[in-house]
Amino acid sequence: MGRIFTPFEANRTLPLVRGIVADILECGRALRERCACEESGANGLRERLGDLLGELVRIGCDYKDWDFARGLVDFPAEIEGVKVLLCWRSDEPSVTHYHGVVEGYAGRREIPTHLQAAPHPVDC
């Protein structure tokens, strides 16, 4: 795992991630249609899709929905000392769930409420 996100940090990246994922979904669906119809232009779409996926990797998260139906993104995190993946779906307004590294999407659980709050400012 590279970058470790808190739920607050993952939610702060959502405006950027949401836009990238919308483009990934559009590009992935178009690529599937073109490949099914054997139309030209698939190479350009593959390149665009690779660029978009690279943007998410640079942010520190991973795209996980290869049928391009849900737009799943995982953010590496720790909850109570355990490495987990915060799990966001493109139809959700915020990052509110996580799952273990091995369990995947089927093991999604809600992030404990006390971990979802913004960090308290430090008094100087």
Side-chain angles (χ1 to χ4, degrees):
M1 273 192 214
R3 180 176 178 184
I4 300 296
F5 289 84
T6 65
F8 177 76
E9 292 167 337
N11 279 305
R12 283 188 56 172
T13 68
L14 273 188
L16 178 58
V17 169
R18 186 176 281 117
I20 295 168
V21 169
D23 290 345
I24 287 172
L25 289 172
E26 181 181 328
C27 187
R29 290 171 183 156
L31 183 60
R32 281 188 10 201
E33 287 175 17
R34 290 218 174 124
C35 287
C37 298
E38 296 185 30
E39 289 184 31
S40 63
N43 287 339
L45 286 170
R46 283 187 194 96
E47 186 175 315
R48 175 74 176 133
L49 185 58
D51 291 344
L52 293 164
L53 295 170
E55 287 185 51
L56 289 182
V57 169
R58 284 187 293 282
I59 292 168
C61 50
D62 292 308
Y63 187 79
K64 298 293 183 176
D65 176 32
W66 301 112
D67 65 355
F68 305 104
R70 295 183 192 156
L72 296 176
V73 175
D74 285 343
F75 299 81
E78 285 187 14
I79 292 184
E80 299 172 354
V82 176
K83 290 183 179 183
V84 298
L85 297 168
L86 303 178
C87 181
W88 175 74
R89 203 174 58 211
S90 64
D91 64 344
E92 296 173 332
S94 62
V95 178
T96 57
H97 289 78
Y98 75 100
H99 55 76
V101 176
V102 175
E103 293 86 357
Y105 182 79
R108 277 175 41 120
R109 295 173 283 206
E110 193 167 339
I111 298 169
T113 306
H114 69 281
L115 297 176
Q116 291 184 30
H120 297 290
V122 178
D123 294 330
C124 297

